[in-house]
Amino acid sequence: MRKAGVVLVIVFLMAAGCRESSDVHRRTQYLMGTVVTITVAGLAEEDASRAMSAAFEEIRRLEGVLTFFSEESDLGRINAAAGAREVLVSAETIEVLAEALRISDRSGGAFDATIGPLVSLWGFEVKDRFVPPKEEIERARTLVNWRNMSVDPNLRTVRLERKGMKVDLGGIAKGYAADRAAETLRKHGVSSAMVAVAGDIRAVGEKAPGVAWHVGIQHPREPGAVLGSLRIADRSVSTSGDYERYFIKDGIRYHHILNPATGRPAAASRSATVLAPTTILSDALSTAAFVLGPEKGIGLVQSFPGVEAVIVDREGRVHVTPGLAGKVEGLAS
């Protein structure tokens, strides 16, 4: 699954200053087009394995519902019916799209789940990358408008008003999947875990009593280096950046986080990391904050209770919300 508005960030999960004990168990699978890692602490290996298997299966199920690449998925059916009729979809799709519309409204369209025509045009999923002609970008951009998507939670229907419109949930679905996986783990008796769906991280409880999970933020210009790190418990962290899926042509960096207003890669930021109560929220807001840039992005983030951000602007300067001042370890260096 594409993450149209959000880059797949490298996030380092680190032990909180000590070796992992024997009751920490970790498994990795490739789902939703990316690497998914689940870590469970405080359980016997058999119980942890059972819980992780259930969580992976939930992510796999959601992938089948929300994928952009299947005609039978909810998204496939919604996009095929664009401009013609409404489509009956699952409760999960309604939940994700309702949140997508909320963030679209609050961000002034910096996040827009109808960005599918632009994502398809730029083709960051293929090896031969190119800059589309201006007229094609403008044509695709006219089909991107979240206001032309109707979501009815009561009837569980979705309608795209114009033919050629496409919904792409790459900027929010991974966060939703991380939340649902965390819920699944809790139902299986897990009180300490970490779910990492690419750059969308969900912490369940603490790593150990009094010991938070330690999450590193990838440096946007130094591969393998950490910009800073956060200690979290029962919180979510998502990062959007311009350094994973990109190419450089004539000295210009073209990346896959597109600005719906211009139809081109967003140019105000190098990365945006958002800390929030849920991963569906941190996922979507990291995209919006990246597109908006530090001033407007931080303003947007601060309008949501309990949400903080670290944004690296296009010149490499780091901007931190007041609530995180002094709490991002290693940032000064």
Side-chain angles (χ1 to χ4, degrees):
M1 180 178 293
R2 233 172 313 210
K3 201 165 185 182
V6 175
V7 75
L8 305 182
V9 66
I10 301 174
V11 176
F12 300 88
L13 303 180
M14 300 173 290
C18 59
R19 290 185 179 181
E20 290 188 345
S21 62
S22 59
D23 65 348
V24 175
H25 311 281
R26 180 176 293 118
R27 285 171 54 185
T28 297
Q29 293 188 17
Y30 191 83
L31 295 167
M32 302 186 85
T34 192
V35 175
V36 180
T37 299
I38 298 178
T39 306
V40 171
L43 288 183
E45 184 174 3
E46 183 178 350
D47 294 332
S49 180
R50 186 180 303 111
M52 288 188 286
S53 294
F56 279 123
E57 186 55 39
E58 175 66 358
I59 296 174
R60 185 175 292 105
R61 184 185 71 83
L62 291 172
E63 180 179 15
V65 173
L66 302 174
T67 180
F68 185 81
F69 300 106
S70 169
E71 295 179 356
E72 286 75 38
S73 71
D74 279 1
L75 256 63
R77 294 186 300 109
I78 291 169
N79 294 339
R85 64 186 183 279
E86 65 275 357
V87 177
L88 180 66
V89 297
S90 66
E92 292 89 345
T93 300
I94 290 294
E95 185 176 359
V96 176
L97 287 177
E99 182 69 347
L101 288 178
R102 183 173 81 105
I103 303 302
S104 297
D105 183 35
R106 294 282 292 273
S107 69
F111 175 88
D112 194 328
T114 68
I115 201 165
L118 284 169
V119 174
S120 296
L121 176 64
W122 280 87
F124 279 90
E125 297 297 327
V126 300
K127 290 183 178 180
D128 297 328
R129 297 173 179 176
F130 65 100
V131 180
K134 182 178 179 179
E135 57 273 17
E136 292 187 25
I137 293 175
E138 288 303 308
R139 189 179 305 116
R141 193 173 64 84
T142 64
L143 296 171
V144 179
N145 191 333
W146 59 274
R147 296 180 182 85
N148 290 331
M149 177 172 65
S150 302
V151 178
D152 190 325
N154 296 320
L155 296 178
R156 260 180 40 201
T157 59
V158 179
R159 179 184 176 89
L160 299 177
E161 298 300 332
R162 295 186 59 190
K163 184 177 181 180
M165 289 184 68
K166 293 181 183 179
V167 175
D168 185 318
L169 296 178
I172 195 170
K174 290 182 176 67
Y176 179 69
D179 285 335
R180 292 296 294 264
E183 292 174 13
T184 301
L185 291 172
R186 286 191 182 278
K187 289 177 181 178
H188 282 75
V190 175
S191 59
S192 177
M194 180 78 81
V195 179
V197 184
D200 299 309
I201 314 297
R202 173 74 179 192
V204 177
E206 297 177 305
K207 185 173 183 179
V211 180
W213 294 96
H214 206 178
V215 180
I217 303 169
Q218 167 70 38
H219 194 293
R221 288 296 180 270
E222 297 179 17
V226 176
L227 179 73
S229 62
L230 297 167
R231 295 180 185 270
I232 62 172
D234 277 324
R235 299 277 279 168
S236 297
V237 177
S238 295
T239 299
S240 302
D242 66 359
Y243 48 85
E244 279 293 291
R245 279 188 286 169
Y246 73 95
F247 63 92
I248 295 177
K249 182 177 176 60
D250 298 327
I252 300 174
R253 177 183 294 253
Y254 295 94
H255 58 85
H256 83 299
I257 308 176
L258 303 175
N259 184 345
T262 65
R264 304 175 69 85
S269 310
R270 292 183 180 181
S271 71
T273 298
V274 172
L275 177 67
T278 63
T279 330
I280 190 173
L281 183 58
S282 64
D283 191 0
L285 283 181
S286 69
T287 300
F290 181 94
V291 171
L292 289 171
E295 183 176 351
K296 292 181 179 179
I298 284 179
L300 171 67
V301 165
Q302 290 187 290
S303 72
F304 289 82
V307 180
E308 306 289 347
V310 178
I311 301 176
V312 182
D313 67 24
R314 60 186 173 188
E315 303 299 330
R317 295 182 293 261
V318 181
H319 306 257
V320 181
T321 52
L324 280 184
K327 298 180 181 179
V328 185
E329 299 175 16
L331 189 58
S333 62

